[in-house]
Amino acid sequence: MLTKPKKSLGQNFLIDKNILQKIVNSVSIYKNKEILEIGPGTGNLTHYLVKKNPKKIFVVEKDSELSLFLSEKFKNKINIINEDVLKISENLISKQKLIVFGNLPYNISTKILSKWIISTNKSFWFSKLILMFQKEVADRIVSEINTSSYGRLSILSNWKLDIEKVMDISRNSFFPKPKVESSLLIFSPKNKFYKIKNSKNLEMITRIFFNQRRKMIKKPFSQIFKNPNQIAKKLNIDLNLRPQNLSLDIYYKITKEYENLRC
Ligand code: SAM
């Protein structure tokens, strides 16, 4: 008998069978593929993944009680890693590229995504990420330039990944019912992306720009560069624009320019 869902671990279990099926059908799972599920909870999504009969299923669940429950429920059909996803080395789980599923705990969902983007240098350890976020966070991830949700998260996420929104999911599809709606996103590694030496520089630069979201970019530009006008001219940037008016590419170029001058 399980104790009640733990709020501290973001335990809102997906109970809508239609949605669960749509999630597993959102990408092709072949018999020779390996799957990683983050936060399987009581195994509602895991059940549909097992039915697809992939080569292997790994699950990472922080809750020891649920890990025990899952091992009794699925026996040797899944490989359980009873750990905190923020502390594991995903690239050591398998030699094969993994298809990753996750109805992520809301309080750490952006931390998990950032960890995966930042830790990837040349080759990716995953072939697809099929992840559920709180809708407001998903909107920020996929947001377009010149919108109010465009910002640090969109710039970091789009750096190495192509992103597609699959669907919104009502709060009624969960137990216990969360306060907010959710959205499902699929991420695929880009073949080519800007070679930034240290992702911390991209994070630092976007932080400086978006801390002053409503101001013209003259100020952050002069905080970052000693000769802002010269760099702006070189990169063809109008310093009277606001942070949300600069394209993704411009942020990657600014970071590269900063690294060329400093590193
Ligand atoms: N996938 C299940 C479902 O859809 O019904 C459960 C999703 S629930 C939103 C999030 C799950 O992540 C919970 O089972 C929770 O215990 C687990 N979790 C929370 N923090 C975690 C962490 N740091 N590492 C691994 N799992 C975590």
Side-chain angles (χ1 to χ4, degrees):
M1 188 66 182
L2 282 170
T3 54
K4 65 175 188 177
K6 301 176 183 72
K7 240 187 177 173
S8 61
L9 288 174
Q11 291 179 354
N12 298 98
F13 303 118
L14 192 50
I15 48 169
D16 182 327
K17 289 189 175 136
N18 275 330
I19 300 286
L20 286 161
Q21 243 153 357
K22 270 193 191 165
I23 295 174
V24 291
N25 288 332
S26 62
V27 294
S28 316
I29 303 173
Y30 302 108
K31 289 200 175 6
N32 57 349
K33 294 281 180 199
E34 296 187 3
I35 308 282
L36 170 66
E37 188 190 352
I38 306 298
T42 48
N44 298 353
L45 186 66
T46 324
H47 167 78
Y48 288 91
L49 291 170
V50 167
K51 274 177 126 184
K52 287 273 175 185
N53 206 15
K55 187 170 155 200
K56 257 187 184 169
I57 300 180
F58 301 93
V59 303
V60 179
E61 176 55 65
K62 186 175 177 183
D63 187 331
S64 306
E65 187 191 359
L66 284 179
S67 296
L68 199 63
F69 172 82
L70 291 166
S71 85
E72 277 161 21
K73 182 168 176 180
F74 294 103
K75 307 275 189 281
N76 60 357
K77 290 192 179 118
I78 62 172
N79 302 273
I80 301 166
I81 304 165
N82 180 201
E83 296 274 359
D84 180 340
V85 64
L86 293 172
K87 295 190 180 148
I88 61 165
S89 303
E90 292 84 352
N91 56 331
L92 302 180
I93 294 177
S94 169
K95 288 201 176 96
Q96 206 177 309
K97 282 187 199 282
L98 297 162
I99 303 177
V100 183
F101 286 86
N103 168 11
L104 302 180
Y106 289 155
N107 53 343
I108 54 164
S109 62
T110 55
K111 262 197 197 157
I112 299 173
L113 182 65
S114 306
K115 177 193 175 200
W116 292 345
I117 295 169
I118 289 165
S119 65
T120 302
N121 290 324
K122 283 186 194 124
S123 64
F124 293 87
W125 56 269
F126 55 85
S127 60
K128 287 264 186 244
L129 306 173
I130 302 96
L131 303 177
M132 200 189 300
F133 294 87
Q134 163 176 358
K135 184 175 180 300
E136 179 268 330
V137 173
D139 287 347
R140 281 197 281 136
I141 292 173
V142 296
S143 65
E144 299 281 338
I145 178 173
N146 296 327
T147 62
S148 60
S149 49
Y150 181 74
R152 301 186 63 199
L153 194 55
S154 358
I155 296 164
L156 182 67
S157 311
N158 283 277
W159 171 25
K160 297 177 184 174
L161 303 169
D162 285 320
I163 311 165
E164 181 197 337
K165 179 165 172 178
V166 183
M167 59 180 162
D168 291 328
I169 301 167
S170 154
R171 43 197 284 274
N172 296 323
S173 303
F174 299 86
F175 174 81
K177 211 193 272 193
K179 289 201 178 81
V180 292
E181 307 287 304
S182 299
S183 304
L184 186 75
L185 303 180
I186 298 186
F187 303 79
S188 315
K190 285 185 177 171
N191 291 330
K192 267 187 163 184
F193 53 86
Y194 282 84
K195 297 285 174 275
I196 289 167
K197 287 179 201 151
N198 188 343
S199 57
K200 287 206 167 78
N201 291 327
L202 179 62
E203 290 183 287
M204 179 270 293
I205 282 170
T206 54
R207 184 174 357 99
I208 292 177
F209 274 83
F210 283 93
N211 272 352
Q212 312 170 65
R213 180 181 267 283
R214 293 206 172 79
K215 303 246 169 75
M216 282 189 276
I217 58 167
K218 248 181 221 144
K219 200 171 159 216
F221 229 79
S222 52
Q223 271 175 265
I224 295 162
F225 296 111
K226 278 193 198 121
N227 45 355
N229 292 321
Q230 200 183 322
I231 306 282
K233 200 170 170 199
K234 182 177 170 191
L235 299 179
N236 202 12
I237 298 171
D238 174 358
L239 291 181
N240 295 317
L241 293 173
R242 326 249 155 200
Q244 70 190 47
N245 308 128
L246 300 188
S247 70
L248 297 165
D249 280 6
I250 287 290
Y251 281 103
Y252 310 136
K253 282 184 187 161
I254 292 173
T255 309
K256 284 196 72 158
E257 191 62 30
Y258 171 84
E259 290 190 335
N260 288 342
L261 292 170
R262 296 282 175 107
C263 310

